[in-house]
Amino acid sequence: MRLLLAIDQHGSVSRAGGVVGLSQPASSNALARLRTSLDDPLFLRTRDGMIPTPYCAKILPIVRANLAGIENALQQPDDFVAHSSSETFRLSLSDLGEMMFLPSLAHHMSQIAPNLRMHNIAAARQNLHNALQQRQCDIAIGILNTAGNGLNSTTLFHETYRAIIGRDVDPRKYQTLRDAPITLTAPSATYANDIEDELSKKGLANNIVLRLRHFGALPQLLNQMDVVAIVPSQYAQSLKNQQQAQILPIPVPLGEHEVKMIWHQITDSDPAITWFRQQILDVFGEPRVV
């Protein structure tokens, strides 16, 4: 059943086998046995990968829900001891989230539980519900939509957006965003918020001259081009503190957004994940001055 779910997720028998710890021959044999037992091809091979048959598509949600329940029921109820545990926690953060959240959280964790590990999975927004439900990641942090059965969330803090320019640009040049060539960064992973639609509603769509998928190139870009980037205020302040950018004193009409911590309810009985959520609240849950 785990192989069945993995084939549906990855579209490949070999990749699915790697996920569940089976070799290529063992994966093919297991799929053959499933096909015989269930009297259905289950998956059809296409140029885009393996796709489920109508029967398989019907049973997949049922298998997924029941398998998650079985795995959760079989977990040992032992208490979690952080300082001696070597547990691995899987976060979902965008590249900006990784820059802004991971250093502080990793430092905090190293002080109280040095043997613990953290991995950033960076699930795309449209796949986040499945990633949390299937335990590909334990917790997501960002400006996120919490729609989806079984998802729980709590607000860590509120975020706004600021306009920034390169360190050598004269800030008097731009009095409003209507005067500015705008750069947006909108990665597909969890921290991204679709701000382009909001700017379009304000009549600023034609001002957008550059769209980036990642924040890593932004500091260098700002100091090579005369553009205005719209970014979360904490990131703007970080670049200003590093003398990589200036913050413009002009309003950005995007309102205030909740930065949330999101998890699936199947982890509510997991003492390790419960402890990890509390550490995130301890590090990021207090009001922060920008």
Side-chain angles (χ1 to χ4, degrees):
M1 294 298 100
R2 291 179 62 216
L3 180 68
L4 192 78
L5 298 180
I7 295 173
D8 178 55
Q9 179 186 348
H10 296 283
S12 163
V13 176
S14 59
R15 288 199 297 271
V19 169
V20 301
L22 295 176
S23 66
Q24 169 70 49
S27 300
S28 297
N29 289 337
L31 178 58
R33 292 195 299 273
L34 279 171
R35 284 168 163 166
T36 300
S37 298
L38 299 177
D39 194 25
D40 188 87
L42 298 178
F43 293 95
L44 304 177
R45 192 178 302 278
T46 73
R47 64 181 182 182
D48 296 321
M50 304 284 281
I51 62 172
T53 64
Y55 170 76
C56 186
K58 180 180 179 181
I59 67 171
L60 278 168
I62 303 170
V63 171
R64 182 174 293 114
N66 284 277
L67 187 59
I70 291 170
E71 290 178 340
N72 196 46
L74 294 177
Q75 288 180 353
Q76 294 296 322
D78 297 338
D79 291 337
F80 173 71
V81 181
H83 73 269
S84 60
S85 174
S86 58
E87 186 94 12
T88 296
F89 296 113
R90 297 173 297 274
L91 287 163
S92 181
L93 303 167
S94 70
D95 66 320
L96 179 59
E98 191 171 80
M99 288 188 287
M100 300 304 295
F101 297 123
L102 206 52
S104 297
L105 184 59
H107 174 74
H108 172 79
M109 298 280 278
S110 69
Q111 302 300 304
I112 58 176
N115 296 321
L116 293 176
R117 301 171 176 87
M118 289 189 295
H119 295 170
N120 181 22
I121 305 303
R125 285 174 292 171
Q126 64 270 24
N127 298 328
L128 182 59
H129 180 271
N130 285 340
L132 289 166
Q133 179 175 269
Q134 296 173 22
R135 299 297 300 272
Q136 297 166 22
C137 58
D138 303 309
I139 293 172
I141 300 175
I143 300 174
L144 298 163
N145 183 350
T146 55
N149 292 334
L151 292 187
N152 295 331
S153 69
T154 188
T155 298
L156 297 176
F157 57 91
H158 292 80
E159 180 67 285
T160 57
Y161 284 82
R162 303 294 298 271
I164 61 174
I165 54 175
R167 59 177 177 261
D168 298 323
V169 178
D170 185 351
R172 295 171 296 181
K173 184 174 182 179
Y174 300 113
Q175 301 301 313
T176 70
L177 286 180
R178 296 191 180 278
D179 306 325
I182 296 174
T183 295
L184 295 181
T185 304
S188 61
T190 59
Y191 195 92
N193 185 47
D194 191 4
I195 63 176
E196 186 166 347
D197 288 345
E198 294 298 321
L199 292 177
S200 297
K201 293 174 185 177
K202 304 296 183 181
L204 295 169
N206 291 335
N207 291 62
I208 301 171
V209 298
L210 192 60
R211 296 171 176 84
L212 305 178
R213 291 187 60 198
H214 304 287
F215 283 86
L218 191 57
Q220 184 177 359
L221 175 73
L222 286 175
N223 289 296
Q224 291 184 347
M225 292 184 64
D226 188 357
V227 292
V228 175
I230 296 177
V231 299
S233 59
Q234 293 199 35
Y235 181 57
Q237 188 63 46
S238 175
L239 292 182
K240 178 183 177 182
N241 293 343
Q242 298 171 51
Q243 298 183 343
Q244 292 183 304
Q246 303 177 72
I247 299 176
L248 288 175
I250 60 176
V252 176
L254 296 176
E256 190 175 70
H257 300 267
E258 293 179 321
V259 176
K260 296 180 179 179
M261 173 173 61
I262 300 179
W263 67 96
H264 198 280
Q265 64 184 20
I266 62 173
T267 65
D268 280 344
S269 60
D270 186 324
I273 303 301
T274 301
W275 177 88
F276 188 42
R277 290 201 304 266
Q278 185 57 53
Q279 304 316 302
I280 293 172
L281 283 170
D282 289 347
V283 176
F284 302 113
E286 296 298 323
R288 307 165 82 195
V289 178
V290 177

